[in-house]
């Protein structure tokens, strides 16, 4: 399974940001193919999600 993990590094708290690593580790342990994309500006997550259409089996968006 191919997963795109879109990460908003400016959202939320440190605790939430650390949870992103747990999610990534869980997907990798399950032997999923994971690609990470980090947002750079407002609206970037939407652009990344639209660009991912048809290329990934799952899209996961996360922040803090």
């Amino acid at each position: 399974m191919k997963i795109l993990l879109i990460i908003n590094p400016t959202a939320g708290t440190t605790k939430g940001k650390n949870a992103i690593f747990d999610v990534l580790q869980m997907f990798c342990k399950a032997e999923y193919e994971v690609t990470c994309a980090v947002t750079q500006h407002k609206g970037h997550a939407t652009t990344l999600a639209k660009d991912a259409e048809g290329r990934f089996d799952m899209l996961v968006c996360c922040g803090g």
Side-chain angles (χ1 to χ4, degrees):
M1 177 178 284
K2 292 175 62 175
I3 298 173
L4 176 62
L5 184 63
I6 298 177
I7 302 166
N8 181 346
T10 61
T13 64
T14 302
K15 183 178 180 181
K17 290 176 185 175
N18 290 338
I20 293 169
F21 296 108
D22 295 335
V23 170
L24 182 58
Q25 183 179 19
M26 178 187 69
F27 286 142
C28 290
K29 188 174 183 178
E31 298 185 5
Y32 294 144
E33 181 181 333
V34 181
T35 300
C36 294
V38 178
T39 59
Q40 302 295 317
H41 52 80
K42 185 177 181 179
H44 193 208
T46 301
T47 302
L48 291 168
K50 286 179 181 178
D51 291 346
E53 188 174 350
R55 297 182 10 215
F56 294 90
D57 301 306
M58 182 186 298
L59 174 66
V60 178
C61 298
C62 53

